Amino acid sequence: MPQVKAENLEINMQTVETRELTIERVNQAVDAILNVLGNPENDLHTQAYTAFSAGDYQTVKRLASTNLSDYYCKALGYLGGALKLTPNTDTILAESARAAADFAKEKVLLQLGDAIAKALN
C-alpha cells in the first residue's frame, strides 16, 4: 500500500457564511419554489395552492399525505413549515425545492413524450 505524505495532501475546505435567517429571505426562497411550480394545472393543485395561499398549511399537508405521488402537493406541503423559521427551515426548503424540481421534470418529460408521439405516429 503506498504511503501518502501529509505535505502531498491538498484539502479543499470551503467556508460557508451563514446569514441570519429572516422571514424576508425565506419568502424569497418560497417565491422561487412557487415560480418553478407555476400555476395549478388541475383541481387537486388548485385546492392545494388555494389552501397554501390562505395559510391553511394543515390542509396542504393532508393533500400531500393523501396524494403521495404528486410532487406539486409535496412541494407545497413542505413550504408551510418553512415559514416557521425553525432550525429545520433550510432542510424544509431543500425538500420542497427537490419536489418542485421533480414536478417540473415530470411535466417536461410528459410534454416531450407527447411531442415525440405526435412526430412518430
Side-chain angles (χ1 to χ4, degrees), residues 21-121:
L21 195 61
T22 64
I23 193 65
E24 291 81 17
R25 290 187 178 142
V26 171
N27 278 329
Q28 288 176 352
V30 168
D31 288 345
I33 292 168
L34 291 174
N35 284 335
V36 168
L37 291 174
N39 293 323
E41 298 180 349
N42 59 41
D43 290 342
L44 174 62
H45 295 172
T46 299
Q47 187 179 1
Y49 183 78
T50 301
F52 178 81
S53 296
D56 185 2
Y57 307 129
Q58 188 60 42
T59 294
V60 181
K61 288 179 186 181
R62 179 65 50 89
L63 291 170
S65 70
T66 57
N67 296 278
L68 295 173
S69 64
D70 192 291
Y71 290 114
Y72 191 98
C73 288
K74 183 177 182 179
L76 287 180
Y78 281 116
L79 282 184
L83 298 170
K84 295 177 185 174
L85 299 185
T86 69
N88 293 323
T89 298
D90 291 318
T91 303
I92 292 166
L93 287 170
E95 290 303 318
S96 180
R98 286 184 189 97
D102 287 337
F103 173 75
K105 177 182 174 182
E106 280 192 348
K107 185 176 174 179
V108 169
L109 288 173
L110 183 60
Q111 291 170 349
L112 287 171
D114 289 347
I116 291 169
K118 287 178 185 175
L120 299 179
N121 292 325

